[in-house]
Amino acid sequence: METAKKRILTGNKAMAEAIALEMERDSNVFVLGEDVGKYGGIFGSTQGLIDRFGAERVLDTPISETAFIGAAIGAAAEGMRPVAELMFVDFFGVCMDQIYNHMAKIPYMSGGNVKLPMVLMTAVGGGYNDAAQHSQTLYATFAHLPGMKVVAPSTPYDLKGMMISAIRDDNPVVFMFHKSLQGLGWMDQLDASVEHVPEEAYTVPLNKAKVAREGSDVTIVGIQMMMHYAMEAAERLSKEDGIEAEVVDLRSLAPIDRDTIVKSIKKTSRLLVVDEDYLSYGMTAEVAAIAAEHALDELKAPVRRLAIPDVPIPYSDPLENFVIPGPERIYEEVKKMMRS
Amino acid sequence: MASKKSKQFDPVGTLQEIEKKFEMFQVLNEEGEIVNEEADPKLSDEELQELMRRMVYTRILDQRSISLNRQGRLGFYAPTAGQEASQIASHFALQKEDFILPGYRDVPQLIWHGWPLHQAFLFSRGHFKGNQMAEGLNVLPPQIIIGAQYVQTAGVALGLQKRGKEAVAVTYTGDGGSSQGDFYEGINFAGSFRSPAIFFVQNNQYAISTPRELQTSAETIAQKAVAAGIPGILVDGMDPLAVFAATRDARKRAVAGEGPTLIETLCYRYGPHTMAGDDPTRYRTSETDSEWEKKDPLVRFRKYLEAKDLWSEEKENEVIEQAKEEIKAAIKEADNTPKQKVTDLMEIMYNEMPQNLQEQYEIYKEKESK
């Protein structure tokens, strides 16, 4: 009988391990960004890399997002495979030109001849009192623009497998990791931020959603923290109300896995979309549109959406908790839907 | 880092000291005479002739491109006349393995680096095959966003450095581009890692209509290198020998691991900013135009070569005829390229087409078949 203890890793260790494995495998892979060296990334996603690979391959850069993202683009055009870290996704404002006009468009504008095999990883999400400029996910802002893949893994297993896929991908990939799922000691530690992660290198596709929980009564689509909250709500719905919710973890925002969403709606006939991003023009609207275009006749109730209202995220703890959807609100919303 | 102590409090004096040091480097004066024997790059007769040939060819290409644009046979075009020394003589100091990140006016350097003329014409027409650079042609397509190529150059240079290549990354922008954040971030980043890069500012005096004085209070753009801690030099951008010498020196230091250089070339664009409706008479006088025409790079280089018996009207006419023939053939080749379709554009975006695009592709494919 197998009794070996399964190795447990936090989200950030899983990411760092993925990068280390790829750096070992391919000498063209290198890391650059702010505080990615001795500090190990402020959310720990590059921890230990500088000790193993040295400052030649783990570059602490000037505080100059346009420069290091532009430099990653140039290095990728020259044949390297850079992994650049934008410390907070909120900082995209100072460097978006390099991201969406260059990283996303150079492959196209070169007639497909210039490949940019680079990863732009960035920390997203709130829920820990970091205020309006350090708490956003901005999922839809990136997923809206053609030319890049945009992924947001929800578990340590997927963080590792999708990071390896992202590094090996010849297209630029925006890799969003959620701060709360990194397993950081200075945040509230969540069960969801640790799990068994195999030691070897493995890949998880960048275009496939995952059914995180099977159910027959209602489909809840979410990503990262919203997926975990949906799981909590689903357990309660099952226990207290006998409602079986199916939870779809999107994992990838662009491309979006429509088939998995439509298949689940056909099974449950009800759809709730939950998002830690602003409500208007967001991922919830995209998933609702998919339902309207491809599964309208299957729906027994109107599609419902839960997201952050169109207001900057408050610093105040009670207010922040009030705007970000949580398990309680998801539970209530599903109950309302089941009545209709 | 600086720890030298001083009792003197003289910020104005310090600035003046710095600015005094950025004098214009010149080798060949407007009369075609060597005025700086020591800095003469001492090119061979054949090299001198080849440099002249390329500049004449490029002037003809500019004239023909303008008229092709007026006939509706070319699309986007940014005139180059007046900037031949800055463009061609700087490129003349580069090697094939060097990687160029051009601005939109820097089509000539790409052509002399190996970009076929008909592809440059296709680029002008917005055809996707224009920017499909052949294997081994180390360039990115001309950049349209002002200054954005500067930070990418720092990255190409980093890549060359990491891969141990004996080559430099070379980029060009204009006086307007030097006011962009990307300019500062690019030279600063490359300086931080001592990467092999050469940053050119072709100061042609106007950013569309905005004069150089409005871009910055700095006396020269070259002195901006001081803040990044890298060498900077102000060069007579109408003097091919000075531009060549400065570039060769910068390249030598870059390849030796001594880091990047900022080179400002003082020049002038005779024509409009682009062919899309710019009328320079709204912001420049004909006096200024003729003042700069007296400094013309072709005129002074022709004088210099004729005095050495290396150039003649006959030689020049040969080059002109050759240029016209090749341009004619290239435009024909561009005309013969199959028209592009929206589905072509969808195909070049990703290695593997994602589902959403695949569906949109099918819709357009059907539309295109009608």
Side-chain angles (χ1 to χ4, degrees), chain A residues 211-220 230-231 233-235 237-238 242-248 264 267-268 272 330 334 338:
Chain A
V211 176
R213 185 186 192 279
E214 301 250 5
S216 51
D217 300 325
V218 57
T219 295
I220 311 175
M231 292 292 278
E235 290 309 316
L237 285 162
S238 172
I243 297 169
E244 293 305 327
E246 178 146 305
V247 178
V248 175
S264 181
K267 184 173 163 193
T268 65
L272 169 66
I330 299 171
V334 171
M338 296 310 291

Side-chain angles (χ1 to χ4, degrees), chain A residues 28 30 32 56-57 59-62 64-68 70-75 77-80 94 97-98 101-102 106-115 145-149 170-171 255-259 294, chain B residues 99 101 128-129 131-135 138-145 147-149 151-160 162-163 165 181-182 185-186 188-189 192-193 345-346 348-352 354-356 359:
Chain A
N28 288 321
F30 75 105
L32 73 169
E56 285 292 304
R57 294 183 69 194
L59 277 57
D60 275 326
T61 66
S64 192
E65 286 82 3
T66 292
F68 71 74
I73 293 167
E78 218 292 300
M80 304 290 288
V94 299
D97 182 57
Q98 287 298 328
N101 262 333
H102 303 280
I106 285 174
Y108 162 84
M109 293 185 83
S110 64
N113 274 29
V114 177
K115 305 276 177 235
L145 301 163
M148 7 180 217
K149 297 182 178 180
D170 276 344
N171 290 111
I256 193 164
D257 178 4
R258 204 191 64 208
D259 293 346
H294 300 279
Chain B
F99 197 121
L101 294 94
F128 76 100
K129 286 198 180 294
N131 283 344
Q132 286 183 334
M133 302 300 176
E135 188 72 35
N138 300 316
V139 303
L140 279 187
Q143 182 53 258
I144 309 291
I145 302 281
Q149 65 273 31
V151 284
Q152 294 158 15
T153 300
V156 170
L158 195 67
L160 294 169
K162 296 227 166 288
R163 283 146 69 89
K165 290 191 183 171
D182 294 35
E185 294 200 31
N188 185 63
F189 190 96
S192 283
F193 294 99
L345 306 184
M346 289 175 169
I348 58 181
M349 289 178 66
Y350 299 95
N351 281 5
E352 227 178 288
Q355 186 186 31
N356 56 324
E359 284 171 11

Side-chain angles (χ1 to χ4, degrees), chain B residues 25-28 33-43 239 241-242 244-246 248-249 252 304:
Chain B
F25 170 62
Q26 191 184 59
V27 175
L28 196 66
E33 300 153 349
I34 298 280
V35 290
N36 191 343
E37 193 67 47
E38 213 179 305
D40 180 356
K42 301 268 191 291
L43 290 169
D239 170 0
L241 295 182
F244 177 86
R248 189 169 67 179
D249 172 68
K252 205 169 123 194
Y304 173 62

Side-chain angles (χ1 to χ4, degrees), chain A residues 170-193:
Chain A
D170 276 344
N171 290 111
V173 178
V174 175
F175 188 100
M176 296 175 154
F177 59 89
H178 199 290
K179 295 160 223 167
S180 301
L181 295 170
Q182 292 289 86
L184 293 159
W186 56 272
M187 283 192 185
D188 294 337
Q189 266 187 313
L190 306 174
D191 291 346
S193 67

Side-chain angles (χ1 to χ4, degrees), chain B residues 80-116:
Chain B
T80 59
Q83 298 187 206
E84 290 88 352
S86 292
Q87 298 183 326
I88 306 304
S90 62
H91 178 265
F92 203 58
L94 303 182
Q95 302 294 324
K96 190 142 184 55
E97 49 276 16
D98 295 338
F99 197 121
I100 304 176
L101 294 94
Y104 49 76
R105 206 180 303 282
D106 302 309
V107 167
Q109 297 96 303
L110 294 197
I111 287 169
W112 294 111
H113 214 54
W115 196 26

